[in-house]
Amino acid sequence: MALPPEATDGRTNLLGDVRDLGVAMHRTSAYVASADRVQTVDLTTGRVVGVARPHGKSLGKDSDATAPFLIADGTVVVTPFLVVQPGSGTQSSSTTLEVIATTPETGEVAWSTVLLIPREWAQRDSSAPRASVVGFAAGTVILTVHTGYNAMTVGVDVTTHQLRWTAQNIQLGAVTAQAAVGVDIREGFGPDVVVGLDPATGQETWRAEKTASTSVASAGPSLVRVRGYADGGQHFDQLRNPDTGKVQADVPKGLENVSCPYDQAETLVCAVPSSIVALDSTSGKELWRLKDGQADGRSAPQVTASWHGRIYTRVSSTSAVTLDARSGKDMPTGPKIAPVLVNEYQGLVLVDRELLAYPTGG
């Protein structure tokens, strides 16, 4: 079954590889985010069963949309939209963040919340804002909005659907059960400071040293990844404890510009051309490395996805191999095609720039 074309529009390169999918999966449904709507797709039939739209004119392009987020208890799918609310009389138009929660599988709107983007942002920065749902903790769905020189993070109560807290100048990168971790951008003037927030209140719980060009990314439930430049210009790339900000491990050399997605089990999987590196998601320790030209004759295939201890890879356009995430060894059985997104029910495979759904055995 094919997903709607918005799932891949503007998200594939000349080689046919996909990036930053605005798609999430839960059981046998997929949720496809665009700039002005979120579509709920029944993957067993390919039918769009629900469409939810924000009010007002949407900003950006479909390829700017970030993936919908299924909160931890599975009751709603949350999608952020940036929209322009038209002015009236002497009142000028405004930019708002509209948060829409839909019911899984049906796509019906469960609730929505509208939050105003500060008007002074437009005076400081001409770039369009970007918004994403970073995570869910303590009954709060946490979103971040940013431009080149502005940022804020908000917590929305999933029971009352009201704004619970706002953290100005914080561009959030990761949420765990006990912490929300991001960068205080100091109103775009720097230096940056990595901070930890209480996800229930938005109150700061720790603050690290001053840095520059800093970014924070999720690295599973036990670690966050922090990259940037220390005072003096030395580059760092570290895995830190989200509850304290303390450094747990350095990311191995050669992975500076490489994402290392969590496989939803125990492993961070880092893939670069001609090399795959696996890290333990609790300690940050390197587990194994597979690279071209090894003495045993093995070569590193192209990683397409990782999930629950399995790494899905493509050896060629017609050949796929599944690796064990903890050992790096070839698994005796696996799918004949390499999915780019997978769960226990379905795998999404990119074929001629179109996402097709296939049932999976787990």
Side-chain angles (χ1 to χ4, degrees):
M1 303 295 177
L3 267 67
E6 293 84 1
T8 54
D9 281 352
R11 299 177 186 270
T12 56
N13 60 23
L14 294 176
L15 297 177
D17 296 324
V18 71
R19 61 169 183 82
D20 300 329
L21 279 177
V23 178
M25 294 174 63
H26 176 60
R27 297 176 64 87
T28 58
S29 296
Y31 310 97
V32 180
S34 307
D36 64 350
R37 62 202 177 283
V38 56
Q39 301 175 78
T40 299
V41 183
D42 182 341
L43 295 176
T44 63
T45 64
R47 189 168 67 91
V48 175
V49 296
V51 180
R53 299 179 183 272
H55 299 88
K57 180 182 178 182
S58 298
L59 291 175
K61 302 173 294 185
D62 285 349
S63 58
D64 294 331
T66 56
F69 184 87
L70 184 81
I71 68 169
D73 60 8
T75 55
V76 290
V77 178
V78 181
T79 309
F81 296 94
L82 288 162
V83 301
V84 175
Q85 299 291 351
S88 176
T90 61
Q91 183 66 51
S92 61
S93 62
S94 59
T95 301
T96 61
L97 170 65
E98 185 168 346
V99 183
I100 296 181
T102 52
T103 303
E105 300 181 1
T106 69
E108 295 179 355
V109 175
W111 53 266
S112 64
T113 298
V114 177
L115 306 170
L116 183 66
I117 304 299
R119 293 182 183 276
E120 57 266 28
W121 282 23
Q123 299 170 359
R124 301 177 191 159
D125 187 356
S126 60
S127 62
R130 301 288 299 273
S132 62
V133 182
V134 186
F136 171 80
T140 307
V141 60
I142 302 171
L143 305 93
T144 197
V145 189
H146 67 93
T147 64
Y149 297 97
N150 307 278
M152 72 174 186
T153 293
V154 298
V156 177
D157 189 305
V158 296
T159 300
T160 66
H161 318 147
Q162 300 301 307
L163 177 67
R164 181 179 281 186
W165 54 262
T166 301
Q168 296 291 347
N169 302 323
I170 305 298
Q171 183 173 337
L172 207 71
V175 173
T176 64
Q178 303 297 327
V181 184
V183 179
D184 183 343
I185 66 170
R186 304 291 186 90
E187 297 184 324
F189 299 107
D192 302 331
V193 180
V194 179
V195 297
L197 308 179
D198 180 340
T201 66
Q203 294 296 309
E204 187 176 308
T205 56
W206 57 263
R207 175 169 286 249
E209 64 281 0
K210 295 179 180 178
T211 53
S213 301
T214 314
S215 65
V216 172
S218 176
S222 304
L223 299 170
V224 294
R225 184 176 182 178
V226 180
R227 290 180 277 186
Y229 292 87
D231 188 18
Q234 183 178 7
H235 183 265
F236 65 88
D237 192 349
Q238 301 163 333
L239 295 170
R240 298 195 181 197
N241 183 318
D243 299 332
T244 65
K246 301 298 183 183
V247 177
Q248 184 79 33
D250 288 323
V251 174
K253 297 294 184 182
L255 301 178
E256 289 82 1
N257 298 311
V258 178
S259 64
C260 298
Y262 174 54
D263 75 340
Q264 306 298 315
E266 301 176 289
T267 311
L268 306 175
V269 180
C270 316
V272 295
S274 72
S275 182
I276 305 172
V277 181
L279 310 176
D280 181 80
S281 64
T282 301
S283 67
K285 177 182 177 181
E286 182 174 326
L287 300 173
W288 54 268
R289 184 179 294 252
L290 174 60
K291 58 183 180 180
D292 290 350
Q294 289 188 173
D296 59 5
R298 297 181 73 200
S299 297
Q302 180 183 358
V303 174
T304 60
S306 57
W307 190 74
H308 282 205
R310 299 181 180 184
I311 302 174
Y312 299 92
T313 73
R314 186 168 59 231
V315 178
S316 68
S317 60
T318 58
S319 179
V321 174
T322 303
L323 307 180
D324 183 286
R326 301 302 287 179
S327 68
K329 296 180 179 179
D330 292 14
M331 298 186 75
T333 59
K336 297 179 181 179
I337 47 181
V340 296
L341 199 62
V342 65
N343 66 11
E344 66 270 39
Y345 296 96
Q346 298 279 330
L348 302 183
V349 180
L350 188 66
V351 179
D352 294 330
R353 292 182 169 79
E354 185 177 47
L355 275 183
L356 305 180
Y358 293 87
T360 177

